[in-house]
Amino acid sequence: MRVATGPQPPGHHARWLAEVAPRLKALDLRPLTLLQPRRGYTPDFLAPPPDGPVDSFAADLARIAATPPAQARAEIARSLAETPGAARTATGRLLLGAEPAEVVRLLAELVRAAWEALVEPYWARTRALLEADVAFQAGRLAAGGLDRLFAELHPSVRWHDGVLTREHGGADHRDLAGEGLVLMPSAFKWDQVVIVLDPPWQPTLIYPARGIGTLWQGAPSDAAAALARLIGRTRARLLTGLTEPAATAWLAHHHGLAPATVSEHLTVLRATGLVTATRHRHEVRYRRTPLGDTLATGPTPGRPDAHA
Protein backbone atom coordinates (compact mmCIF):
# COMPACT_ATOMS: atom_id res chain seq x y z
CA MET A 1 0.00 0.00 0.00
CA ARG A 2 2.95 2.35 0.60
CA VAL A 3 4.18 1.76 -2.94
CA ALA A 4 0.69 2.14 -4.41
CA THR A 5 -0.42 5.23 -2.49
CA GLY A 6 2.72 6.99 -1.27
CA PRO A 7 4.40 10.07 -2.72
CA GLN A 8 7.57 8.20 -3.67
CA PRO A 9 8.00 6.97 -7.28
CA PRO A 10 7.00 3.32 -7.77
CA GLY A 11 10.46 2.48 -9.04
CA HIS A 12 10.64 -1.09 -10.30
CA HIS A 13 6.95 -1.61 -9.55
CA ALA A 14 5.69 0.80 -12.19
CA ARG A 15 4.28 -2.00 -14.37
CA TRP A 16 2.44 -3.51 -11.39
CA LEU A 17 1.07 -0.12 -10.33
CA ALA A 18 -0.26 0.56 -13.83
CA GLU A 19 -2.12 -2.76 -13.77
CA VAL A 20 -3.67 -2.32 -10.32
CA ALA A 21 -4.55 1.38 -10.77
CA PRO A 22 -8.20 0.75 -11.77
CA ARG A 23 -8.75 -1.53 -8.74
CA LEU A 24 -6.93 0.90 -6.46
CA LYS A 25 -9.34 3.70 -7.38
CA ALA A 26 -12.24 1.60 -6.09
CA LEU A 27 -10.70 1.31 -2.61
CA ASP A 28 -10.79 3.87 0.20
CA LEU A 29 -7.62 3.01 2.07
CA ARG A 30 -7.30 6.30 3.97
CA PRO A 31 -7.64 4.72 7.46
CA LEU A 32 -4.65 2.52 6.60
CA THR A 33 -2.50 5.00 4.72
CA LEU A 34 -2.87 7.58 7.51
CA LEU A 35 -1.25 5.03 9.83
CA GLN A 36 1.78 4.56 7.57
CA PRO A 37 3.88 7.72 7.76
CA ARG A 38 6.81 7.82 5.37
CA ARG A 39 9.06 8.22 8.39
CA GLY A 40 7.75 7.21 11.77
CA TYR A 41 5.81 4.53 13.53
CA THR A 42 3.30 2.20 11.87
CA PRO A 43 1.13 0.14 14.26
CA ASP A 44 2.75 -3.23 14.86
CA PHE A 45 -0.56 -5.09 14.87
CA LEU A 46 -1.09 -4.25 11.18
CA ALA A 47 2.04 -6.22 10.27
CA PRO A 48 2.29 -9.02 12.85
CA PRO A 49 5.77 -10.50 13.18
CA PRO A 50 6.18 -13.82 11.38
CA ASP A 51 6.60 -16.75 13.74
CA GLY A 52 7.45 -19.28 11.05
CA PRO A 53 7.46 -19.92 7.30
CA VAL A 54 4.68 -18.48 5.16
CA ASP A 55 1.38 -20.12 6.07
CA SER A 56 -1.57 -18.31 4.51
CA PHE A 57 -2.89 -14.80 4.24
CA ALA A 58 -6.04 -15.90 6.08
CA ALA A 59 -3.94 -16.87 9.11
CA ASP A 60 -2.15 -13.51 9.09
CA LEU A 61 -5.46 -11.65 8.76
CA ALA A 62 -6.87 -13.60 11.70
CA ARG A 63 -3.93 -12.46 13.83
CA ILE A 64 -4.66 -8.82 12.91
CA ALA A 65 -8.37 -9.20 13.70
CA ALA A 66 -7.54 -10.76 17.10
CA THR A 67 -5.55 -7.73 18.29
CA PRO A 68 -6.68 -6.64 21.77
CA PRO A 69 -8.61 -3.36 21.35
CA ALA A 70 -6.59 -1.52 24.02
CA GLN A 71 -3.31 -2.43 22.30
CA ALA A 72 -4.67 -1.36 18.91
CA ARG A 73 -5.82 2.03 20.21
CA ALA A 74 -2.48 2.73 21.90
CA GLU A 75 -0.55 1.88 18.74
CA ILE A 76 -2.93 3.94 16.55
CA ALA A 77 -2.52 6.97 18.83
CA ARG A 78 1.28 6.61 18.72
CA SER A 79 1.26 6.40 14.93
CA LEU A 80 -1.04 9.40 14.43
CA ALA A 81 1.16 11.47 16.73
CA GLU A 82 4.05 10.96 14.28
CA THR A 83 2.30 13.12 11.64
CA PRO A 84 1.36 16.67 12.67
CA GLY A 85 -2.38 17.19 12.38
CA ALA A 86 -3.20 13.56 11.54
CA ALA A 87 -5.24 13.00 14.70
CA ARG A 88 -7.42 16.03 13.88
CA THR A 89 -8.42 14.86 10.40
CA ALA A 90 -11.81 13.22 9.90
CA THR A 91 -10.11 9.85 9.45
CA GLY A 92 -7.92 10.40 12.50
CA ARG A 93 -10.93 11.29 14.64
CA LEU A 94 -12.68 8.13 13.44
CA LEU A 95 -9.70 5.93 14.34
CA LEU A 96 -9.40 7.46 17.80
CA GLY A 97 -13.06 8.10 18.60
CA ALA A 98 -14.80 4.92 17.49
CA GLU A 99 -15.00 1.79 19.60
CA PRO A 100 -11.49 0.23 19.38
CA ALA A 101 -12.85 -3.22 18.57
CA GLU A 102 -14.80 -1.73 15.64
CA VAL A 103 -11.67 0.06 14.43
CA VAL A 104 -9.73 -3.23 14.48
CA ARG A 105 -12.46 -4.87 12.39
CA LEU A 106 -12.45 -1.93 9.94
CA LEU A 107 -8.69 -2.03 9.48
CA ALA A 108 -8.63 -5.82 9.12
CA GLU A 109 -11.30 -5.57 6.42
CA LEU A 110 -9.31 -2.91 4.56
CA VAL A 111 -6.18 -5.07 4.73
CA ARG A 112 -8.19 -7.94 3.25
CA ALA A 113 -9.54 -5.74 0.45
CA ALA A 114 -6.07 -4.41 -0.33
CA TRP A 115 -4.65 -7.94 -0.43
CA GLU A 116 -7.33 -9.16 -2.83
CA ALA A 117 -6.98 -6.18 -5.16
CA LEU A 118 -3.26 -5.44 -5.09
CA VAL A 119 -1.33 -8.55 -4.12
CA GLU A 120 -3.28 -11.80 -4.45
CA PRO A 121 -3.41 -11.76 -8.29
CA TYR A 122 0.41 -11.59 -8.27
CA TRP A 123 1.12 -13.71 -5.22
CA ALA A 124 2.32 -16.83 -7.05
CA ARG A 125 5.15 -15.00 -8.80
CA THR A 126 5.91 -12.89 -5.71
CA ARG A 127 6.11 -15.92 -3.43
CA ALA A 128 8.35 -17.69 -5.95
CA LEU A 129 10.75 -14.74 -5.87
CA LEU A 130 10.83 -14.71 -2.07
CA GLU A 131 11.31 -18.47 -1.79
CA ALA A 132 14.13 -18.34 -4.33
CA ASP A 133 15.83 -15.65 -2.24
CA VAL A 134 15.45 -17.69 0.97
CA ALA A 135 16.93 -20.76 -0.74
CA PHE A 136 19.84 -18.73 -2.14
CA GLN A 137 20.65 -17.06 1.19
CA ALA A 138 20.35 -20.37 3.07
CA GLY A 139 22.85 -21.88 0.64
CA ARG A 140 25.30 -19.05 1.23
CA LEU A 141 24.92 -19.43 5.00
CA ALA A 142 25.55 -23.17 4.79
CA ALA A 143 28.57 -22.70 2.53
CA GLY A 144 30.33 -19.86 4.33
CA GLY A 145 28.57 -18.93 7.56
CA LEU A 146 27.55 -15.42 8.51
CA ASP A 147 30.55 -13.82 6.80
CA ARG A 148 29.44 -15.25 3.45
CA LEU A 149 25.75 -14.56 4.06
CA PHE A 150 26.12 -10.88 4.93
CA ALA A 151 28.87 -10.15 2.39
CA GLU A 152 26.29 -9.68 -0.37
CA LEU A 153 22.92 -9.65 1.40
CA HIS A 154 22.50 -5.97 0.50
CA PRO A 155 24.95 -3.20 -0.38
CA SER A 156 23.97 -1.13 2.68
CA VAL A 157 24.59 -3.94 5.19
CA ARG A 158 27.98 -4.55 6.80
CA TRP A 159 29.06 -7.43 9.06
CA HIS A 160 32.29 -7.09 11.03
CA ASP A 161 33.55 -8.63 14.26
CA GLY A 162 30.14 -9.89 15.30
CA VAL A 163 28.36 -6.59 14.67
CA LEU A 164 25.78 -6.03 11.93
CA THR A 165 25.36 -2.41 10.81
CA ARG A 166 23.38 -0.57 8.17
CA GLU A 167 24.65 2.52 6.41
CA HIS A 168 22.74 5.65 7.50
CA GLY A 169 21.03 3.53 10.12
CA GLY A 170 20.92 6.02 12.96
CA ALA A 171 22.08 5.46 16.51
CA ASP A 172 19.74 2.62 17.53
CA HIS A 173 21.57 -0.38 18.91
CA ARG A 174 20.53 -3.74 20.30
CA ASP A 175 22.51 -6.64 21.71
CA LEU A 176 20.84 -9.82 20.51
CA ALA A 177 21.94 -11.79 23.58
CA GLY A 178 20.86 -15.06 22.04
CA GLU A 179 17.53 -13.82 20.65
CA GLY A 180 18.52 -14.42 17.08
CA LEU A 181 17.78 -12.29 14.03
CA VAL A 182 14.97 -12.76 11.51
CA LEU A 183 16.01 -12.05 7.90
CA MET A 184 12.91 -11.18 5.87
CA PRO A 185 13.14 -10.68 2.10
CA SER A 186 10.63 -8.22 0.69
CA ALA A 187 9.33 -7.78 -2.84
CA PHE A 188 7.78 -4.36 -2.27
CA LYS A 189 10.34 -2.78 0.07
CA TRP A 190 12.59 -2.45 -2.93
CA ASP A 191 14.58 0.68 -2.17
CA GLN A 192 16.13 0.19 1.28
CA VAL A 193 16.81 -2.06 4.24
CA VAL A 194 14.62 -1.75 7.34
CA ILE A 195 15.79 -2.87 10.78
CA VAL A 196 13.10 -3.52 13.40
CA LEU A 197 14.18 -3.56 17.03
CA ASP A 198 11.04 -2.74 19.04
CA PRO A 199 8.85 -5.40 20.68
CA PRO A 200 6.71 -7.34 19.86
CA TRP A 201 8.99 -8.10 16.93
CA GLN A 202 11.91 -10.41 17.25
CA PRO A 203 14.89 -8.36 15.97
CA THR A 204 14.32 -8.33 12.22
CA LEU A 205 16.13 -7.14 9.12
CA ILE A 206 13.87 -6.58 6.10
CA TYR A 207 15.75 -6.35 2.82
CA PRO A 208 14.87 -6.23 -0.90
CA ALA A 209 14.66 -9.73 -2.32
CA ARG A 210 17.43 -10.74 -4.68
CA GLY A 211 16.44 -10.50 -8.35
CA ILE A 212 13.56 -8.11 -7.76
CA GLY A 213 14.27 -6.52 -11.14
CA THR A 214 12.83 -9.61 -12.81
CA LEU A 215 9.51 -9.64 -10.91
CA TRP A 216 7.41 -7.68 -13.38
CA GLN A 217 9.19 -8.56 -16.59
CA GLY A 218 6.73 -9.23 -19.35
CA ALA A 219 7.31 -10.56 -22.80
CA PRO A 220 10.13 -8.56 -24.39
CA SER A 221 9.16 -6.02 -27.01
CA ASP A 222 10.58 -6.29 -30.49
CA ALA A 223 13.08 -3.53 -29.65
CA ALA A 224 14.14 -5.25 -26.41
CA ALA A 225 14.52 -8.59 -28.16
CA ALA A 226 16.61 -6.96 -30.89
CA LEU A 227 18.83 -5.30 -28.28
CA ALA A 228 19.34 -8.67 -26.56
CA ARG A 229 20.37 -10.22 -29.86
CA LEU A 230 22.76 -7.35 -30.47
CA ILE A 231 24.60 -7.21 -27.13
CA GLY A 232 23.37 -10.31 -25.27
CA ARG A 233 20.47 -10.82 -22.84
CA THR A 234 22.36 -10.05 -19.64
CA ARG A 235 23.98 -6.89 -20.97
CA ALA A 236 20.62 -5.79 -22.36
CA ARG A 237 19.01 -6.31 -18.93
CA LEU A 238 21.74 -4.31 -17.22
CA LEU A 239 21.59 -1.50 -19.76
CA THR A 240 17.79 -1.15 -19.80
CA GLY A 241 17.63 -1.44 -16.01
CA LEU A 242 20.22 1.29 -15.47
CA THR A 243 17.61 4.04 -15.23
CA GLU A 244 19.63 5.84 -12.55
CA PRO A 245 23.28 5.65 -11.43
CA ALA A 246 24.02 2.41 -9.61
CA ALA A 247 26.98 0.47 -8.23
CA THR A 248 28.00 -3.06 -9.15
CA ALA A 249 26.79 -4.55 -5.85
CA TRP A 250 23.34 -2.97 -6.18
CA LEU A 251 22.96 -4.14 -9.78
CA ALA A 252 24.02 -7.67 -8.82
CA HIS A 253 21.44 -7.83 -6.03
CA HIS A 254 18.72 -6.26 -8.14
CA HIS A 255 19.15 -8.63 -11.08
CA GLY A 256 20.08 -11.73 -9.10
CA LEU A 257 23.57 -11.98 -10.62
CA ALA A 258 27.04 -12.55 -9.22
CA PRO A 259 28.98 -9.28 -8.71
CA ALA A 260 31.84 -10.63 -10.83
CA THR A 261 29.41 -11.27 -13.69
CA VAL A 262 27.98 -7.77 -13.47
CA SER A 263 31.45 -6.25 -13.33
CA GLU A 264 32.51 -8.15 -16.46
CA HIS A 265 29.47 -7.00 -18.44
CA LEU A 266 29.78 -3.40 -17.23
CA THR A 267 33.39 -3.37 -18.41
CA VAL A 268 32.22 -4.30 -21.90
CA LEU A 269 29.38 -1.76 -21.87
CA ARG A 270 31.80 0.91 -20.72
CA ALA A 271 34.40 0.01 -23.37
CA THR A 272 31.77 0.34 -26.10
CA GLY A 273 30.59 3.75 -24.88
CA LEU A 274 27.18 2.64 -23.59
CA VAL A 275 27.83 3.41 -19.91
CA THR A 276 30.20 5.63 -18.00
CA ALA A 277 31.48 5.37 -14.43
CA THR A 278 32.05 7.97 -11.72
CA ARG A 279 33.28 7.54 -8.16
CA HIS A 280 30.80 8.43 -5.40
CA ARG A 281 32.45 8.27 -1.99
CA HIS A 282 33.54 4.63 -1.50
CA GLU A 283 31.90 3.15 -4.59
CA VAL A 284 31.87 3.45 -8.37
CA ARG A 285 28.48 4.16 -9.92
CA TYR A 286 27.55 3.49 -13.52
CA ARG A 287 25.14 5.44 -15.67
CA ARG A 288 24.06 5.24 -19.28
CA THR A 289 25.60 7.53 -21.86
CA PRO A 290 23.39 9.25 -24.47
CA LEU A 291 24.23 6.38 -26.83
CA GLY A 292 23.23 3.90 -24.12
CA ASP A 293 19.96 5.79 -23.60
CA THR A 294 19.19 5.55 -27.29
CA LEU A 295 19.79 1.81 -27.38
CA ALA A 296 17.88 1.18 -24.14
CA THR A 297 14.85 3.40 -24.74
CA GLY A 298 14.89 4.22 -28.44
CA PRO A 299 15.58 7.59 -30.07
CA THR A 300 13.73 10.64 -28.80
CA PRO A 301 12.47 13.08 -31.47
CA GLY A 302 14.43 16.30 -31.38
CA ARG A 303 17.35 14.87 -29.41
CA PRO A 304 20.69 15.49 -31.15
CA ASP A 305 21.52 11.78 -31.41
CA ALA A 306 18.02 10.78 -32.58
CA HIS A 307 19.09 10.47 -36.21
CA ALA A 308 22.72 9.52 -35.68
Side-chain angles (χ1 to χ4, degrees):
M1 285 185 288
R2 284 177 183 255
V3 176
T5 63
Q8 73 282 354
H12 310 292
H13 297 293
R15 182 192 298 268
W16 163 80
L17 186 56
E19 289 188 14
V20 301
R23 298 194 292 273
L24 184 63
K25 290 179 180 178
L27 299 175
D28 183 0
L29 299 177
R30 285 176 295 178
L32 284 174
T33 57
L34 190 63
L35 296 174
Q36 298 183 73
R38 178 64 176 165
R39 295 187 180 276
Y41 174 75
T42 293
D44 290 307
F45 77 90
L46 290 176
D51 53 9
V54 174
D55 182 12
S56 69
F57 176 76
D60 279 344
L61 189 63
R63 295 175 68 192
I64 295 174
T67 303
Q71 174 192 338
R73 193 185 189 288
E75 293 184 2
I76 288 170
R78 177 183 171 186
S79 178
L80 291 176
E82 298 278 345
T83 304
R88 296 191 297 273
T89 65
T91 302
R93 292 196 300 271
L94 169 67
L95 293 172
L96 291 175
E99 180 66 30
E102 290 295 326
V103 172
V104 170
R105 280 192 285 271
L106 168 66
L107 294 175
E109 175 59 24
L110 290 178
V111 170
R112 182 197 62 76
W115 158 265
E116 292 177 351
L118 307 179
V119 181
E120 189 175 26
Y122 311 97
W123 179 235
R125 71 169 76 174
T126 306
R127 179 168 180 166
L129 177 82
L130 299 173
E131 289 179 340
D133 179 275
V134 170
F136 178 84
Q137 307 299 351
R140 293 182 68 84
L141 178 63
L146 293 176
D147 290 341
R148 181 76 182 276
L149 172 66
F150 288 125
E152 296 175 9
L153 184 70
H154 189 268
S156 69
V157 173
R158 299 285 183 271
W159 169 256
H160 177 68
D161 197 23
V163 178
L164 185 66
T165 58
R166 182 192 63 181
E167 287 185 359
H168 313 299
D172 290 340
H173 175 86
R174 181 161 174 175
D175 293 317
L176 293 182
E179 288 182 278
L181 178 70
V182 174
L183 300 179
M184 186 193 306
S186 173
F188 284 90
K189 196 63 181 174
W190 60 270
D191 58 341
Q192 60 181 291
V193 163
V194 174
I195 296 178
V196 181
L197 301 178
D198 293 337
W201 292 76
Q202 184 176 355
T204 300
L205 186 148
I206 305 170
Y207 63 94
R210 186 175 182 271
I212 198 170
T214 66
L215 183 58
W216 307 117
Q217 284 182 348
S221 65
D222 291 343
L227 179 61
R229 291 195 298 271
L230 177 66
I231 64 175
R233 290 182 59 187
T234 302
R235 289 172 192 161
R237 281 173 55 195
L238 290 171
L239 187 64
T240 56
L242 202 60
T243 55
E244 57 186 34
T248 300
W250 186 91
L251 290 167
H253 186 89
H254 179 69
H255 291 284
L257 299 168
T261 300
V262 173
S263 181
E264 178 182 346
H265 288 302
L266 288 173
T267 298
V268 175
L269 293 173
R270 187 179 181 184
T272 53
L274 300 180
V275 303
T276 186
T278 55
R279 178 163 292 279
H280 182 78
R281 283 183 279 189
H282 64 279
E283 63 185 14
V284 175
R285 293 184 180 179
Y286 294 84
R287 68 170 69 230
R288 291 195 304 239
T289 62
L291 177 59
D293 284 337
T294 298
L295 281 178
T297 63
T300 301
R303 196 170 61 190
D305 60 345
H307 303 289

Short mmCIF file of all heavy atoms in Angstrom, two decimals, residues 182-215:
data_model
loop_
_atom_site.label_atom_id
_atom_site.label_comp_id
_atom_site.label_asym_id
_atom_site.label_seq_id
_atom_site.Cartn_x
_atom_site.Cartn_y
_atom_site.Cartn_z
N VAL A 182 15.79 -12.34 12.65
CA VAL A 182 14.97 -12.76 11.51
C VAL A 182 15.42 -11.99 10.27
O VAL A 182 15.51 -10.75 10.31
CB VAL A 182 13.47 -12.50 11.77
CG1 VAL A 182 12.65 -12.81 10.51
CG2 VAL A 182 12.98 -13.35 12.93
N LEU A 183 15.71 -12.68 9.19
CA LEU A 183 16.01 -12.05 7.90
C LEU A 183 14.79 -12.24 7.01
O LEU A 183 14.38 -13.36 6.72
CB LEU A 183 17.24 -12.69 7.25
CG LEU A 183 18.53 -12.59 8.05
CD1 LEU A 183 19.67 -13.28 7.30
CD2 LEU A 183 18.89 -11.14 8.33
N MET A 184 14.18 -11.13 6.61
CA MET A 184 12.91 -11.18 5.87
C MET A 184 13.07 -10.51 4.50
O MET A 184 13.16 -9.29 4.40
CB MET A 184 11.81 -10.46 6.67
CG MET A 184 10.42 -10.59 6.04
SD MET A 184 9.23 -9.43 6.79
CE MET A 184 9.38 -9.85 8.52
N PRO A 185 13.10 -11.30 3.43
CA PRO A 185 13.14 -10.68 2.10
C PRO A 185 11.80 -10.03 1.79
O PRO A 185 10.75 -10.50 2.22
CB PRO A 185 13.41 -11.87 1.17
CG PRO A 185 12.86 -13.05 1.90
CD PRO A 185 13.07 -12.77 3.36
N SER A 186 11.85 -8.93 1.06
CA SER A 186 10.63 -8.22 0.69
C SER A 186 10.63 -7.94 -0.80
O SER A 186 11.65 -7.57 -1.38
CB SER A 186 10.55 -6.89 1.46
OG SER A 186 9.45 -6.11 0.99
N ALA A 187 9.47 -8.11 -1.42
CA ALA A 187 9.33 -7.78 -2.84
C ALA A 187 8.96 -6.33 -3.04
O ALA A 187 9.28 -5.75 -4.08
CB ALA A 187 8.27 -8.69 -3.48
N PHE A 188 8.28 -5.72 -2.08
CA PHE A 188 7.78 -4.36 -2.27
C PHE A 188 8.62 -3.32 -1.54
O PHE A 188 8.55 -2.14 -1.87
CB PHE A 188 6.33 -4.26 -1.82
CG PHE A 188 5.37 -4.87 -2.80
CD1 PHE A 188 5.00 -6.20 -2.71
CD2 PHE A 188 4.85 -4.12 -3.85
CE1 PHE A 188 4.14 -6.77 -3.64
CE2 PHE A 188 4.00 -4.67 -4.78
CZ PHE A 188 3.64 -6.01 -4.67
N LYS A 189 9.41 -3.71 -0.56
CA LYS A 189 10.34 -2.78 0.07
C LYS A 189 11.61 -2.85 -0.75
O LYS A 189 12.62 -3.43 -0.36
CB LYS A 189 10.60 -3.18 1.52
CG LYS A 189 11.25 -2.06 2.34
CD LYS A 189 10.33 -0.86 2.44
CE LYS A 189 10.97 0.27 3.22
NZ LYS A 189 10.15 1.50 3.19
N TRP A 190 11.56 -2.23 -1.93
CA TRP A 190 12.59 -2.45 -2.93
C TRP A 190 13.76 -1.48 -2.85
O TRP A 190 14.80 -1.70 -3.44
CB TRP A 190 11.99 -2.34 -4.34
CG TRP A 190 11.37 -0.99 -4.62
CD1 TRP A 190 10.08 -0.64 -4.38
CD2 TRP A 190 12.02 0.16 -5.15
NE1 TRP A 190 9.88 0.67 -4.73
CE2 TRP A 190 11.04 1.19 -5.21
CE3 TRP A 190 13.32 0.43 -5.58
CZ2 TRP A 190 11.35 2.46 -5.68
CZ3 TRP A 190 13.62 1.70 -6.05
CH2 TRP A 190 12.63 2.70 -6.11
N ASP A 191 13.59 -0.39 -2.09
CA ASP A 191 14.58 0.68 -2.17
C ASP A 191 15.52 0.79 -0.98
O ASP A 191 16.46 1.58 -1.02
CB ASP A 191 13.88 2.02 -2.38
CG ASP A 191 12.89 2.35 -1.27
OD1 ASP A 191 12.49 1.42 -0.54
OD2 ASP A 191 12.52 3.52 -1.12
N GLN A 192 15.29 0.04 0.10
CA GLN A 192 16.13 0.19 1.28
C GLN A 192 15.96 -0.99 2.21
O GLN A 192 15.06 -1.81 2.06
CB GLN A 192 15.80 1.49 2.01
CG GLN A 192 14.36 1.56 2.50
CD GLN A 192 14.05 2.86 3.20
OE1 GLN A 192 14.54 3.12 4.29
NE2 GLN A 192 13.23 3.71 2.57
N VAL A 193 16.87 -1.05 3.19
CA VAL A 193 16.81 -2.06 4.24
C VAL A 193 16.14 -1.44 5.47
O VAL A 193 16.40 -0.28 5.80
CB VAL A 193 18.22 -2.56 4.58
CG1 VAL A 193 18.25 -3.28 5.92
CG2 VAL A 193 18.74 -3.48 3.48
N VAL A 194 15.28 -2.20 6.12
CA VAL A 194 14.62 -1.75 7.34
C VAL A 194 15.04 -2.67 8.48
O VAL A 194 15.02 -3.90 8.33
CB VAL A 194 13.09 -1.77 7.20
CG1 VAL A 194 12.42 -1.43 8.52
CG2 VAL A 194 12.64 -0.80 6.11
N ILE A 195 15.44 -2.09 9.60
CA ILE A 195 15.79 -2.87 10.78
C ILE A 195 14.77 -2.59 11.86
O ILE A 195 14.52 -1.43 12.21
CB ILE A 195 17.21 -2.53 11.27
CG1 ILE A 195 18.23 -2.93 10.20
CG2 ILE A 195 17.51 -3.25 12.58
CD1 ILE A 195 19.66 -2.61 10.57
N VAL A 196 14.15 -3.64 12.38
CA VAL A 196 13.10 -3.52 13.40
C VAL A 196 13.65 -4.04 14.72
O VAL A 196 14.10 -5.19 14.80
CB VAL A 196 11.84 -4.32 12.98
CG1 VAL A 196 10.76 -4.17 14.04
CG2 VAL A 196 11.35 -3.85 11.63
N LEU A 197 13.62 -3.19 15.73
CA LEU A 197 14.18 -3.56 17.03
C LEU A 197 13.16 -3.54 18.15
O LEU A 197 13.40 -4.10 19.23
CB LEU A 197 15.34 -2.60 17.39
CG LEU A 197 16.52 -2.55 16.42
CD1 LEU A 197 17.54 -1.53 16.89
CD2 LEU A 197 17.15 -3.91 16.27
N ASP A 198 12.01 -2.89 17.95
CA ASP A 198 11.04 -2.74 19.04
C ASP A 198 10.19 -3.98 19.20
O ASP A 198 9.80 -4.62 18.22
CB ASP A 198 10.11 -1.55 18.76
CG ASP A 198 10.84 -0.22 18.80
OD1 ASP A 198 11.90 -0.16 19.44
OD2 ASP A 198 10.36 0.74 18.18
N PRO A 199 9.84 -4.36 20.46
CA PRO A 199 8.85 -5.40 20.68
C PRO A 199 7.53 -4.99 20.04
O PRO A 199 7.27 -3.78 19.89
CB PRO A 199 8.73 -5.46 22.21
CG PRO A 199 10.01 -4.85 22.71
CD PRO A 199 10.36 -3.80 21.70
N PRO A 200 6.63 -5.90 19.62
CA PRO A 200 6.71 -7.34 19.86
C PRO A 200 7.53 -8.11 18.83
O PRO A 200 7.52 -9.34 18.84
CB PRO A 200 5.23 -7.76 19.76
CG PRO A 200 4.68 -6.84 18.73
CD PRO A 200 5.36 -5.53 18.97
N TRP A 201 8.19 -7.41 17.93
CA TRP A 201 8.99 -8.10 16.93
C TRP A 201 10.22 -8.73 17.55
O TRP A 201 10.87 -8.15 18.40
CB TRP A 201 9.45 -7.12 15.85
CG TRP A 201 8.39 -6.57 14.98
CD1 TRP A 201 7.48 -5.61 15.29
CD2 TRP A 201 8.13 -6.92 13.62
NE1 TRP A 201 6.68 -5.34 14.22
CE2 TRP A 201 7.06 -6.14 13.18
CE3 TRP A 201 8.72 -7.82 12.73
CZ2 TRP A 201 6.54 -6.22 11.89
CZ3 TRP A 201 8.21 -7.91 11.45
CH2 TRP A 201 7.14 -7.13 11.04
N GLN A 202 10.55 -9.92 17.06
CA GLN A 202 11.91 -10.41 17.25
C GLN A 202 12.80 -9.50 16.39
O GLN A 202 12.35 -9.02 15.34
CB GLN A 202 12.03 -11.85 16.75
CG GLN A 202 13.40 -12.47 16.99
CD GLN A 202 13.45 -13.92 16.57
OE1 GLN A 202 12.44 -14.50 16.16
NE2 GLN A 202 14.63 -14.53 16.66
N PRO A 203 14.03 -9.20 16.82
CA PRO A 203 14.89 -8.36 15.97
C PRO A 203 14.88 -8.86 14.53
O PRO A 203 15.12 -10.04 14.27
CB PRO A 203 16.27 -8.51 16.63
CG PRO A 203 15.95 -8.75 18.07
CD PRO A 203 14.70 -9.59 18.07
N THR A 204 14.58 -7.94 13.61
CA THR A 204 14.32 -8.33 12.22
C THR A 204 15.00 -7.38 11.26
O THR A 204 15.01 -6.17 11.48
CB THR A 204 12.79 -8.33 11.96
OG1 THR A 204 12.16 -9.25 12.85
CG2 THR A 204 12.48 -8.73 10.52
N LEU A 205 15.56 -7.93 10.20
CA LEU A 205 16.13 -7.14 9.12
C LEU A 205 15.34 -7.46 7.85
O LEU A 205 15.31 -8.60 7.40
CB LEU A 205 17.62 -7.47 8.93
CG LEU A 205 18.38 -6.61 7.93
CD1 LEU A 205 19.84 -6.47 8.38
CD2 LEU A 205 18.35 -7.19 6.52
N ILE A 206 14.67 -6.44 7.32
CA ILE A 206 13.87 -6.58 6.10
C ILE A 206 14.67 -6.00 4.95
O ILE A 206 15.09 -4.84 5.02
CB ILE A 206 12.52 -5.86 6.25
CG1 ILE A 206 11.77 -6.37 7.49
CG2 ILE A 206 11.66 -6.05 4.99
CD1 ILE A 206 10.54 -5.55 7.84
N TYR A 207 14.89 -6.78 3.92
CA TYR A 207 15.75 -6.35 2.82
C TYR A 207 15.10 -6.68 1.48
O TYR A 207 14.28 -7.59 1.39
CB TYR A 207 17.12 -7.04 2.92
CG TYR A 207 17.05 -8.55 2.78
CD1 TYR A 207 17.24 -9.16 1.54
CD2 TYR A 207 16.76 -9.37 3.87
CE1 TYR A 207 17.15 -10.54 1.39
CE2 TYR A 207 16.66 -10.73 3.74
CZ TYR A 207 16.87 -11.32 2.50
OH TYR A 207 16.76 -12.68 2.37
N PRO A 208 15.44 -5.93 0.42
CA PRO A 208 14.87 -6.23 -0.90
C PRO A 208 15.31 -7.62 -1.37
O PRO A 208 16.49 -7.98 -1.30
CB PRO A 208 15.46 -5.14 -1.80
CG PRO A 208 15.85 -4.04 -0.86
CD PRO A 208 16.28 -4.72 0.40
N ALA A 209 14.35 -8.39 -1.84
CA ALA A 209 14.66 -9.73 -2.32
C ALA A 209 15.61 -9.68 -3.51
O ALA A 209 15.54 -8.77 -4.35
CB ALA A 209 13.37 -10.46 -2.71
N ARG A 210 16.47 -10.64 -3.59
CA ARG A 210 17.43 -10.74 -4.68
C ARG A 210 16.69 -11.01 -5.99
O ARG A 210 15.79 -11.85 -6.06
CB ARG A 210 18.42 -11.87 -4.39
CG ARG A 210 19.57 -12.02 -5.36
CD ARG A 210 20.52 -13.09 -4.85
NE ARG A 210 21.67 -13.24 -5.73
CZ ARG A 210 21.71 -14.06 -6.77
NH1 ARG A 210 20.65 -14.79 -7.06
NH2 ARG A 210 22.78 -14.15 -7.52
N GLY A 211 17.07 -10.29 -7.05
CA GLY A 211 16.44 -10.50 -8.35
C GLY A 211 15.12 -9.80 -8.53
O GLY A 211 14.35 -10.14 -9.43
N ILE A 212 14.85 -8.78 -7.69
CA ILE A 212 13.56 -8.11 -7.76
C ILE A 212 13.32 -7.44 -9.11
O ILE A 212 12.18 -7.22 -9.53
CB ILE A 212 13.43 -7.09 -6.61
CG1 ILE A 212 11.97 -6.70 -6.38
CG2 ILE A 212 14.28 -5.87 -6.87
CD1 ILE A 212 11.76 -5.90 -5.13
N GLY A 213 14.41 -7.15 -9.82
CA GLY A 213 14.27 -6.52 -11.14
C GLY A 213 13.60 -7.40 -12.16
O GLY A 213 13.17 -6.92 -13.22
N THR A 214 13.47 -8.68 -11.86
CA THR A 214 12.83 -9.61 -12.81
C THR A 214 11.35 -9.84 -12.50
O THR A 214 10.67 -10.52 -13.27
CB THR A 214 13.54 -10.97 -12.79
OG1 THR A 214 13.35 -11.59 -11.49
CG2 THR A 214 15.04 -10.80 -13.01
N LEU A 215 10.86 -9.28 -11.39
CA LEU A 215 9.51 -9.64 -10.91
C LEU A 215 8.42 -9.30 -11.90
O LEU A 215 7.49 -10.08 -12.12
CB LEU A 215 9.24 -8.94 -9.57
CG LEU A 215 7.90 -9.26 -8.89
CD1 LEU A 215 7.76 -10.76 -8.63
CD2 LEU A 215 7.79 -8.49 -7.58
#
